[in-house]
Amino acid sequence: MTPRLPDREEFRHALELVLARAQTYLSEVDELPVRQAGADEAAHHFRGPLPEVGDGASAAIRELLDQGSPSVIASSGPRFFHFVIGGVTPAALAADWMASIFDQVAGAWVTSPLAVQLELTSIEWLKQLFGLAPDCSGIMTSGAMMANFTGLTAARQWWGMQHDVDIATDGFAGLPKVPVFSSGYLHASSIKALAMLGIGRAQAQLLQVDAVGRLDLDALEEALRALDGAPAILIANAGEVNAGDFDPLPEMADLAQRYGAWLHVDGAFGLFAAVSPRSAHLVRGIERADSVTVDGHKWLNVPYDCGFSFVRDATLLARPLTLRADYLPDPEGKDAPLSNRAPESSRRARSLTVWATLRAYGRAGVRTQVERHLDLAQRMAQAVDRSAILERLAEVPLNIVCFRCNPGGLDEPALDALNSRLGAALIEDGRVFAGLTRYGGRVALRPAIVNWRTRPEDIDLLIEVLQELAASLIEEYQRSGSEAP
Ligand SMILES: *Cc1c(COP(=O)(O)O)cnc(C)c1O
């Protein structure tokens, strides 16, 4: 058997196949259903053993395009409101192809002056865009999860130093538990980061005044006072995922200052409130945070994966994150690698996409996009309010609308059952996606608007499809005469 090997001649045809499909997909995605019939079966095509001899690049790529396309979820299209998943701008997509073509490693200047310079420039631009403290440093990560990990790594190092312990070197032995406080809005990724950091999931104390999760500011002050001068970590949530609400940053910054605590802010998508005067009040005080998380692949609409971690005192990251080896660049030298501030070692050149999209559209472009989404969220809220069978559950401060189906006459358990079925029916239907959550204990939908492609008619379609699916569930339930749907 003669093995098939990579061949320089293969590039042209393989890339032409992809480019041709890209043109079609990108021109059709606005009107495509989010999920096509047969998506699961199409994915199953890719089960099977390791081939002994390959078929070459063209055959592999053609198989991927032909057999794989039906199982692509159009999450980069305008009708995807599930989770908080951004689209991709043309500039960012083209730059992402370049990142792969040049295959740059954004570790140090020596591996890619281009990637490193673009990262440094983009980080400065983002600080200006969001109004962050001019003296903070920043680093690109794979997303907000790893940005939370990075910011909380700095927090952990700081906390240890308050106890005269260098945790990166000596670990936690002999230290008390780390007090971590947040509201009920705390994102799952911060809790995961606490687990990864050895602080422990259970250390997150959620101080909330209601079932929705709003911060109990008095309880927070009491808890800090009770520590009697011992250091603590506060995590503020700038944009929570159920309804897009915000913890009170200025008050939390005041408490952090008064009691000597670290203030970490998770603004994965919510920090984009800063770019419009209509919403900037929501993130007032952000420049006082010790560490800040933002996502790139959500509202900035660069491709997966990309996030940003900003840390006020970057020297705290040196001990936990520096790689030392004789063959690596000197961590104290002037070309100290970016990887010494990032959780990874080798890193994709995400900076190409971020720079390209900021260069292509500028501050005004980002602001206009965010304001369009604020308008679309209000349009959705109004449609919900007009509907006889939909019920809005929360205010809409930003880009998420939290609501449920409530035709009247059903108790809470029956409403939860109805809405769970509605959520599942929506995904099964596939025309347009939104996800379920529990808001104050009630099963609810929480569509989020973060894609530059989304138009008013896509918002209307979501409401239309939901009402159609809800009507048939209600009818089925009335026909069966059962107590619960
Ligand atoms: C999405 C999100 C995260 C996690 O981000 P990834 O991009 O999935 O890593 C963290 N916090 C908040 C508030 C988020 O919305």
Side-chain angles (χ1 to χ4, degrees), residues 73-218:
I73 297 293
S75 53
S76 66
R79 298 173 179 173
F80 189 93
F81 303 107
H82 205 343
F83 307 108
V84 184
I85 291 191
V88 184
T89 67
L93 178 57
D96 194 56
W97 287 10
M98 288 174 61
S100 290
I101 289 164
F102 300 131
D103 200 16
Q104 295 293 280
V105 178
W109 195 265
V110 66
T111 60
S112 178
L114 178 66
V116 169
Q117 184 58 60
L118 291 177
E119 181 155 349
L120 296 172
T121 300
S122 302
I123 289 292
E124 288 309 309
W125 286 1
L126 291 165
K127 281 160 59 177
Q128 295 166 28
L129 182 69
F130 297 126
L132 297 175
D135 61 349
C136 71
S137 81
I139 196 79
M140 293 187 181
T141 63
S142 62
M145 164 74 233
M146 289 314 286
N148 280 332
F149 176 84
T150 306
L152 292 171
T153 295
R156 185 188 67 172
Q157 192 65 13
W158 166 86
W159 182 86
M161 284 169 61
Q162 305 308 299
H163 288 280
D164 296 317
V165 174
D166 169 7
I167 291 178
T169 305
D170 297 321
F172 272 110
L175 284 167
K177 288 182 173 178
V178 184
V180 180
F181 302 107
S182 190
S183 70
Y185 289 162
L186 187 62
H187 192 268
S189 64
S190 283
I191 296 179
K192 175 168 164 173
L194 293 176
M196 290 165 74
L197 286 163
I199 292 174
R201 290 174 186 268
Q203 292 334 301
Q205 301 174 52
L206 308 187
L207 307 171
Q208 55 192 77
V209 288
D210 58 17
V212 163
R214 289 185 189 88
L215 178 69
D216 187 337
L217 204 55
D218 294 336

Side-chain angles (χ1 to χ4, degrees), residues 21 25 28 32-46 61-75 427-430 433:
R21 188 62 62 94
Y25 184 76
E28 287 176 350
L32 287 180
V34 171
R35 186 179 194 283
Q36 298 177 42
D40 297 337
E41 296 71 22
H44 294 165
H45 165 84
F46 295 96
I61 294 304
R62 190 170 288 128
E63 182 177 341
L64 204 46
L65 290 169
D66 293 346
Q67 309 295 324
S69 293
S71 70
V72 165
I73 297 293
S75 53
I427 301 299
E428 180 63 31
D429 177 88
F433 262 29

Side-chain angles (χ1 to χ4, degrees), residues 91 125 129 272 275 300 354-370:
W125 286 1
L129 182 69
F272 281 79
V275 308
L300 191 60
V354 175
W355 179 87
T357 209
L358 291 173
R359 181 71 185 87
Y361 313 112
R363 188 197 293 271
V366 177
R367 170 181 161 176
T368 305
Q369 208 49 63
V370 165

